[in-house]
Amino acid sequence: MPRPLLFIDVDGPLNPFRAGPSDLEGHTVHRMRPTGWEPPARPLDVWLNPDHGEELLALPYELVWATTWEDEANTMIGPVLGLPELPVVKLPGPLDARHGLFFKTPVLAEYAQGRPFAWIDDGITEQDRVWLARNHIADVLPRRIDPAVGLREKDFDLLADWPPALAAVDFPH
């Protein structure tokens, strides 16, 4: 049985870009130049917690990048977190949103091809949850992460325990 997928967004969950300096305990700043941030633009400040890589790898999921960083998540974000190269969902532009949904929602359901999945992102809305419940045949956990807070222990606990039937299965890592 394949492990469920965990779709991972960078900005919001891993990089709490709306956090104040006092809210970034455990995070370190990295100056990065992803596509679109070439000179003369100043490098982008990306706040990452290096412990998050180990915590993500300990979860019973197949990890997949679902971020506008796309392949650059593997070259810029993953190495800081100690993550191996992960599969990347190719995303349409934000203007390609359908029916008022977050532009990633139908793309992730299509990528999952009926597999259960969890998804951590700061852009998830109630409309996305409803659409996924109606249109994806397997269990789904869309977990909105506050971009002023980022991933916290409670999020990792929820991901580790979800869904209960899958959490009891001992998947190989």
Side-chain angles (χ1 to χ4, degrees), residues 81-125:
L81 301 179
L83 293 173
E85 187 166 319
L86 302 177
V88 176
V89 176
K90 297 299 179 190
L91 296 169
L95 299 178
D96 292 331
R98 298 182 232 165
H99 313 293
L101 293 174
F102 185 36
F103 72 98
K104 296 179 185 179
T105 305
V107 176
L108 298 183
E110 183 179 326
Y111 184 98
Q113 296 181 341
R115 287 173 66 182
F117 69 87
W119 172 26
I120 51 175
D121 202 302
D122 62 311
I124 298 168
T125 67

Side-chain angles (χ1 to χ4, degrees), residues 39 49 58 76 128 165:
N49 183 330
M76 295 183 180
D128 299 301

Side-chain angles (χ1 to χ4, degrees), residues 41-106:
R42 291 186 3 218
L44 180 64
D45 287 345
V46 180
W47 290 89
L48 298 171
N49 183 330
D51 294 338
H52 284 168
E54 187 176 315
E55 292 175 283
L56 287 167
L57 290 170
L59 294 171
Y61 295 91
E62 178 183 322
L63 306 179
V64 179
W65 292 119
T67 173
T68 56
W69 286 74
E70 291 193 335
D71 293 313
E72 290 176 318
N74 276 320
T75 59
M76 295 183 180
I77 305 300
V80 173
L81 301 179
L83 293 173
E85 187 166 319
L86 302 177
V88 176
V89 176
K90 297 299 179 190
L91 296 169
L95 299 178
D96 292 331
R98 298 182 232 165
H99 313 293
L101 293 174
F102 185 36
F103 72 98
K104 296 179 185 179
T105 305

Side-chain angles (χ1 to χ4, degrees), residues 154-168:
K154 67 180 181 176
D155 301 306
F156 286 104
D157 291 344
L158 177 67
L159 290 165
D161 293 340
W162 178 87
L166 292 175

Side-chain angles (χ1 to χ4, degrees), residues 16-39:
F17 62 92
R18 294 198 195 270
S22 63
D23 300 321
L24 292 166
E25 184 178 331
H27 289 73
T28 55
V29 67
H30 303 268
R31 300 209 189 310
M32 299 184 178
R33 289 192 181 278
T35 300
W37 290 91
E38 292 84 11

